Amino acid sequence: MLAMRTLGKTGITVSPLCFGGNVFGWTADEAQSFRLLDRFVDAGFNFIDTADIYSSWVPGHQGGESETILGKWLKQVGNREKVVIATKVGKPMGEGKSGLKSHYIQQAVDASLQRLQTDYIDLYYTHEDDPSTPLEETLQALSDLVKTGKVRSLGASNYTGTRLTQAMDAAKKLGVAGFEVLQPGYNLYDREEYERDLLPVVQAHGLAVAPFYALAAGFLTGKYRTQADAEKSVRGARVVETYLNPRGLLILQKLDEVADRYVATPGQVAIAWLLSQPGIVAPIASATTDKQLDELLFAARLKLDKDALHELTMVSAPADSQ
C-alpha cells in the first residue's frame, strides 16, 4: 500500500511522487502522455505538475500544450476529484504575457482553467519571482483566487530565501492566503541553495516542498557518465557540462553501491534519499516511457537505512561544507 502524505498546511493528500508534466506535448505525444497518466494513477499516485509555459521552448509551440493534453486526459477519464493538479503562472508566454501583476494573474488562471478543462486548480504556483510587482499586489490577487474557489492552495517556485520570507511576512500583514508549498530545484547533487538559503524559511513557516530536477535532469540515473553520453537526449549536452565532474562521478559511484545493496537503480536511490530530507513531501520527476515511469513509482516506495542515507549525504556534501 502506498503511503500518502499531507501537503503541508494545505490539508491536501498527495502521493510521495509528483509526475512532471513538462514532457506532455514535448518528448511524450498526446497518446503516450495519456498512457503514462493512466499508469501513474492506476498505481495509486495522484499528484501531477504542469505549467502554463510548458512546452513553449519547442519550435512551433506557444505554451499551454502540456495543460491542454492534461485537460483532455482529465475529461476523457473523468477522475478530476481523484487527482491533485498543480500549475504555474509568471513565466513569459509571449505578447507581454508574463509577471505577477494582479490583472495578468486573473487572465492567466482563467486561461489555465480553460486548457485544463476544470473549474479549479489544486495548487497554483508563482513560477518565478517578479521584483517589478509589489508582493502585496501579487498575494492579494492570489488570495482572491482562493476566495473564489478557482484555486485551493498557493505555492512559490524559484524564490530566494529572502524574498520568500518577505512574501510570507507580507501575506501575514495583509491577512491574506500565503504560500504553503515551495517548489525549488533540489536533488542529491544540487543541494547548497536549498539547504543554505531556503530550508530555514521552510522550517520557520512549515512549508511543504515539492522539488523539481529531482534527478538532476537525468544525471542521477547514471545515464550520463562520459562526454559521449551527451548525445543520449535533447538535454544531454547541458547535463554533461553541468554534472560530469569529479564530485558528480563520486556521487554516481556511491549511488551505484547503494543501488546494488537494495537491488535498485541509481535514480531510485536518488529519489529515496530526497524523500528522506526535511520538508520534502513529493519530488517531481518526469518519464516518457512505461519503463521509466515504473522505475519512478518503485522509488517512491524505497526506504533507505540510516547508513545508506548518511553515506549519500556525506559524498554529495557541497564543497564549502566538506
Side-chain angles (χ1 to χ4, degrees):
M1 185 71 178
L2 182 66
M4 304 295 274
R5 297 181 167 199
T6 301
L7 192 62
K9 297 177 181 178
T10 69
I12 298 172
T13 300
V14 297
S15 50
L17 185 76
C18 183
F19 197 119
N22 60 317
V23 296
F24 304 152
W26 176 30
T27 48
D29 62 18
E30 183 175 304
Q32 181 65 357
S33 297
F34 279 24
R35 285 194 295 273
L36 292 167
L37 285 163
D38 287 341
R39 199 177 189 92
F40 184 74
V41 172
D42 288 346
F45 293 73
N46 72 340
F47 198 8
I48 304 163
D49 178 87
T50 185
D52 56 2
I53 196 175
Y54 299 164
S55 50
S56 64
W57 56 85
V58 177
H61 286 201
Q62 303 175 33
E65 289 80 13
S66 173
E67 288 183 332
T68 297
I69 287 177
L70 185 52
K72 289 180 180 179
W73 175 76
L74 288 170
K75 183 176 182 181
Q76 175 178 290
V77 298
N79 67 344
R80 177 64 186 93
E81 73 286 351
K82 294 182 180 179
V83 294
V84 176
I85 303 296
T87 192
K88 311 179 191 76
V89 60
K91 291 273 192 180
M93 289 284 284
E95 301 176 354
K97 298 177 180 178
S98 67
L100 299 175
K101 295 192 182 303
S102 178
H103 70 88
Y104 179 61
I105 288 174
Q106 297 290 340
Q107 176 186 349
V109 75
D110 287 340
S112 286
L113 288 168
Q114 184 174 8
R115 287 188 291 263
L116 289 166
Q117 301 192 51
T118 183
D119 56 5
Y120 69 96
I121 293 164
D122 296 287
L123 174 57
Y124 201 42
Y125 289 105
T126 51
H127 206 160
E128 63 182 358
D129 190 12
D130 177 11
S132 69
T133 302
L135 286 167
E136 292 80 4
E137 178 182 345
T138 297
L139 290 162
Q140 185 65 63
L142 292 170
S143 181
D144 289 344
L145 297 183
V146 176
K147 287 181 180 177
T148 60
K150 291 183 178 180
V151 169
R152 294 179 65 192
S153 59
L154 303 172
S157 185
N158 297 305
Y159 279 59
T160 64
T162 297
R163 285 287 284 178
L164 185 59
T165 297
Q166 291 172 353
M168 299 302 293
D169 291 344
K172 185 176 180 180
K173 186 175 181 180
L174 287 171
V176 299
F179 298 131
E180 296 175 308
V181 185
L182 176 66
Q183 186 181 121
Y186 184 47
N187 55 61
L188 191 60
Y189 185 103
D190 299 299
R191 293 176 49 189
E192 184 176 1
E193 183 178 353
Y194 172 75
E195 293 177 1
R196 174 183 51 80
D197 189 43
L198 292 166
L199 180 56
V201 186
V202 166
Q203 294 177 324
H205 295 278
L207 298 176
V209 182
F212 63 88
Y213 282 162
L215 290 171
F219 177 75
L220 297 175
T221 66
K223 180 179 180 180
Y224 306 96
R225 295 175 184 266
T226 68
Q227 291 292 333
D229 291 336
E231 306 297 323
K232 286 188 174 181
S233 77
V234 294
R235 56 187 180 182
R238 183 177 63 82
V239 174
V240 167
E241 180 181 351
T242 304
Y243 298 109
L244 197 65
N245 52 50
R247 176 169 171 260
L249 291 172
L250 280 174
I251 291 171
L252 287 185
Q253 181 180 342
K254 181 56 66 174
L255 282 171
D256 287 338
E257 293 174 11
V258 176
D260 285 344
R261 270 185 255 164
Y262 283 86
V263 193
T265 66
Q268 289 168 344
V269 171
I271 288 178
W273 177 88
L274 196 54
L275 275 165
S276 74
Q277 301 310 301
I280 305 300
V281 175
I284 302 166
S286 302
T288 56
T289 67
D290 292 354
K291 180 182 178 182
Q292 289 174 354
L293 181 58
D294 288 346
E295 288 190 5
L296 292 176
L297 300 184
F298 175 83
R301 294 181 165 92
L302 179 60
K303 305 295 182 185
L304 302 178
D305 63 29
K306 291 181 180 179
D307 289 342
L309 291 171
H310 178 71
E311 291 169 29
L312 290 163
T313 298
M314 293 305 292
V315 79
S316 64
D320 65 352
S321 65
Q322 288 181 343

